[in-house]
């Protein structure tokens, strides 16, 4: 029996080299805003508008009225074509339109109602609606967000209750103005008013509203 050949020495051949990859810092993305924006605009973000309402209720009402009138007229026309007499309401309406003068009270009333409805529909078509929602500043042009007035009032109320001396706060938020009323249990009312105004202004700025409302603060001393 011949002895087995000795295993090759581990250090007989140099170990394979691995490709060395330099640990370099990845280049950061260029996050500088476009040069055409001013510093103030970069701080504010993109101004957004209120989302447009679907106007489902006005559209449903107008469509229902038009549908009922069209169906009634069509049914009466088909009945007349079939040899039956015209409906009494259509004969009465035709006679009234043919005999009443233009300055008649009922004619003027009907014209005023029709004009008012037309103006109302035009206003609905040209305005976005959803006045209960306040648009927020957006970091990107295609991104939109809104905050309802009740949520804004709740956030401002929580901030007001953190002011020392305030026992009760009531906030009412409108589109351009927010009214804050607070009851003061201790401390000087003027100092509480100044602190409350500063806190509410800071909280309003934190909400990032596209059109921040002006805050009016009123305090009342309560001793009981």
């Amino acid at each position: 029996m011949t002895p087995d050949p000795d295993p090759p020495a581990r250090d007989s051949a140099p170990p394979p080299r691995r490709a060395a990859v330099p640990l370099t810092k990845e280049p950061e993305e260029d996050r500088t805003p476009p040069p055409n924006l001013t510093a103030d605009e970069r701080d504010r973000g993109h101004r957004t508008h209120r989302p447009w309402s679907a106007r489902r209720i006005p559209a449903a009402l107008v469509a229902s009225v038009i549908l009922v009138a069209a169906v009634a007229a069509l049914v009466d026309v088909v009945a007349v074509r079939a040899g039956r007499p015209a409906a009494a309401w259509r004969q009465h309406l035709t006679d009234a339109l043919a005999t009443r003068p233009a300055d008649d009270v009922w004619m003027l009333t009907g014209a005023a109602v029709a004009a008012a409805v037309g103006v109302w529909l035009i206003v609905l078509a040209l305005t976005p609606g959803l006045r209960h929602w306040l648009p927020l500043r957006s970091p990107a042009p295609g991104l939109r967000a809104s905050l309802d007035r009740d949520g804004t009032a709740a956030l401002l109320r929580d901030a007001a209750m953190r002011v020392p001396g305030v026992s009760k706060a009531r906030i009412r938020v409108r589109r351009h103005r927010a009214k804050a009323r607070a009851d003061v249990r201790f401390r000087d009312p003027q100092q509480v008013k100044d602190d409350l105004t500063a806190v509410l202004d800071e909280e309003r700025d934190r909400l990032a509203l596209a059109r921040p409302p002006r805050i009016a603060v009123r305090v009342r001393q309560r001793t009981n």
Side-chain angles (χ1 to χ4, degrees):
M1 295 179 65
T2 58
D4 294 336
D6 295 333
R10 295 181 180 273
D11 56 350
S12 60
R17 294 183 178 181
R18 295 183 179 180
V21 180
L23 298 177
T24 58
K25 187 177 180 180
E26 293 291 334
E28 296 182 356
E29 297 179 1
D30 187 10
R31 299 182 179 178
T32 57
N36 57 345
L37 295 179
T38 62
D40 190 31
E41 291 175 347
R42 289 195 297 268
D43 296 337
R44 292 198 312 263
H46 297 273
R47 296 181 69 110
T48 57
H49 302 279
R50 293 199 314 270
W52 282 75
S53 174
R55 309 292 191 187
R56 294 184 177 90
I57 296 179
L61 292 176
V62 173
S64 300
V65 172
I66 295 176
L67 180 62
V68 171
V71 169
L74 181 60
V75 170
D76 191 63
V77 169
V78 171
V80 171
R81 294 293 183 180
R84 297 180 180 179
W89 65 268
R90 193 158 72 96
Q91 292 181 359
H92 178 73
L93 180 62
T94 304
D95 295 339
L97 293 176
T99 57
R100 289 181 181 272
D103 57 350
D104 185 73
V105 176
W106 290 105
M107 297 291 290
L108 296 177
T109 303
V113 171
V117 172
V119 171
W120 176 60
L121 294 177
I122 292 175
V123 170
L124 291 181
L126 298 180
T127 54
L130 298 179
R131 299 173 64 89
H132 196 70
W133 291 89
L134 302 176
L136 303 179
R137 293 194 300 268
S138 174
L143 183 62
R144 290 186 177 182
S146 300
L147 181 65
D148 65 328
R149 295 181 184 175
D150 294 337
T152 304
L155 294 174
L156 294 177
R157 187 183 305 110
D158 293 341
M161 293 301 298
R162 293 194 294 267
V163 176
V166 175
S167 62
K168 185 178 180 181
R170 296 173 297 276
I171 309 293
R172 189 175 184 181
V173 178
R174 297 298 184 186
R175 289 183 59 194
H176 304 289
R177 188 178 181 183
K179 295 181 180 180
R181 297 182 179 180
D183 295 341
V184 180
R185 290 291 184 180
F186 59 93
R187 296 181 64 199
D188 181 33
Q190 185 60 39
Q191 295 180 357
V192 175
K193 182 178 180 180
D194 295 339
D195 295 344
L196 187 59
T197 302
V199 168
L200 292 180
D201 289 340
E202 182 181 359
E203 184 68 20
R204 177 201 58 190
D205 296 337
R206 290 179 56 188
L207 296 179
L209 297 174
R211 297 173 182 82
R214 186 173 60 89
I215 298 179
V217 179
R218 294 180 60 183
V219 297
R220 181 176 56 178
Q221 184 74 39
R222 296 297 296 270
T223 57
N224 53 352

